[in-house]
Amino acid sequence: MSALQIWSPFIGLAVAGLLFVCGFATLLLPQEKALGMPLAGRINEAFGPDDTWRFVRFIGGFLMAVGVMIAIASLAALLNNVTLFVP
């Protein structure tokens, strides 16, 4: 078993944690701050503030959902590897 196989679930958990925290931080942004972000500013010009606010909240929720999915997959891989070390 290579080092990458041993450490990959932990790397996956770290990435999942970062995605979840970024999504949660995005959801906590106040509306005026969220509308001032560079990408949101361009969307705001095209669609208006209500749709932009909905889009920013969707992106935050999407990041959190992806983080949870990666965490579940990493935990499954970790538990699968742990059973390999049982004599």
Side-chain angles (χ1 to χ4, degrees):
M1 182 177 272
S2 71
L4 184 61
Q5 288 175 324
I6 294 171
W7 287 104
S8 63
F10 299 108
I11 295 169
L13 282 173
V15 169
L18 287 173
L19 282 172
F20 189 85
V21 167
C22 289
F24 190 68
T26 303
L27 288 178
L28 290 179
L29 282 174
Q31 185 173 4
E32 57 274 355
K33 180 106 174 168
L35 294 177
M37 294 190 309
L39 179 62
R42 292 184 182 193
I43 296 170
N44 194 16
E45 292 173 1
F47 296 107
D50 291 336
D51 290 334
T52 305
W53 178 238
R54 196 174 306 124
F55 175 74
V56 168
R57 297 195 47 95
F58 170 77
I59 293 298
F62 182 77
L63 287 173
M64 289 176 65
V66 170
V68 168
M69 287 188 284
I70 292 175
I72 290 170
S74 295
L75 287 173
L78 182 65
L79 292 175
N80 190 18
N81 284 339
V82 167
T83 59
L84 294 175
F85 296 112
V86 176

